[in-house]
Every structure is written in structure tokens, then in C-alpha cells.
Amino acid sequence: MTKGQLEAKISEIISKFEIEHMGRGPEKIRTIIFQDLIIVRIKGFLSKAETNLATSKDGVELIKKVRMALFESSRENLEEAIKALIEVNVISTYSDVSTKTGEKLIGIVVDRDLEELISK
């Protein structure tokens, strides 16, 4: 599997995770592998209600808290899907949401340099 193919497969896994565990799939998703780091940039994942709620400071805080809680409660499912695809151990997973841009970033650190693994 090439690097691009692996990035596409990870994007599929993340998209499916977003639909099943977060309640809505992204409009656009891009995965980049850099050594032992997987970076996923998701656009268009907020619902219309969340977008409206994001117009106030309290609304932004609420969206971030709820999205973080949802992600944390389902994070193990995502990590297991990544492990099954790549056969690596996930060291840590991070996520943050921007209500200003409607983007979400997910960072996944694994126990091996994926670029080396792919090139072998």
C-alpha cells in the first residue's frame, strides 16, 4: 500500500467514526502521515444547530465540551480501527475543534515511523 492509499484508508476510517460516534460525517477530510504522526483535518462537521450556537462565547464553550466528551468516550474505537488497519500501537490521540472555521483536527501518535513501514 502506498502512502496516499494509506492516508485515504485512514480518512475512510475517521469519516465512518465521525458518522457512527459523533453523529455527523464531514464534508471534507484530509489525512497526512508524517513519520509516527497521523494528522487528520476535517471540515464541515458541525451541525446547523452547532453553527448557530457558536455565535456566542458560551455556545462555543459548550460545543467544545460536548464534542470533547463525545470524542473521549469513543476514542478507543477509533484507536482499535487504526490498529487493525496498520498493525501499530496507538500511543496517544488528540482532538480539537474550531467553531470559527468549522474544522476539527485529530492527531494520532503511533509506535512506529509509518513512512519507513510503507517504504519497505
Side-chain angles (χ1 to χ4, degrees):
M1 185 177 325
T2 67
K3 183 178 175 185
Q5 289 170 328
L6 182 55
E7 289 168 340
K9 290 271 189 200
I10 293 169
S11 289
E12 288 174 22
I13 287 171
I14 300 284
S15 186
K16 183 178 178 184
F17 170 81
E18 287 287 319
I19 292 167
E20 291 177 358
H21 297 279
M22 306 300 281
R24 179 180 165 101
E27 290 174 9
K28 190 173 182 181
I29 186 167
R30 171 91 164 106
T31 299
I32 300 167
I33 294 172
F34 179 71
Q35 298 173 353
D36 63 346
L37 177 62
I38 301 167
I39 303 166
V40 184
R41 184 177 182 190
I42 300 169
K43 294 182 179 184
F45 71 98
L46 292 174
S47 69
K48 186 169 178 89
E50 287 172 318
T51 302
N52 291 336
L53 191 59
T55 59
S56 72
K57 183 179 177 188
D58 289 341
V60 168
E61 289 177 18
L62 182 60
I63 292 167
K64 285 184 170 267
K65 284 181 183 177
V66 169
R67 286 285 178 161
M68 186 62 66
L70 287 170
F71 185 81
E72 285 301 318
S73 70
S74 302
R75 184 173 42 86
E76 287 182 17
N77 294 318
L78 176 60
E79 292 175 354
E80 288 300 320
I82 296 295
K83 287 181 197 179
L85 174 66
I86 316 173
E87 297 181 20
V88 294
N89 290 315
V90 175
I91 296 172
S92 57
T93 306
Y94 308 90
S95 174
D96 196 16
V97 172
S98 170
T99 56
K100 184 177 180 180
T101 62
E103 293 181 322
K104 177 178 184 176
L105 288 178
I106 299 173
I108 304 166
V109 180
V110 297
D111 66 349
R112 282 188 261 175
D113 184 328
L114 295 174
E115 290 179 311
E116 283 184 8
L117 189 66
I118 294 166
S119 64
K120 288 183 180 179

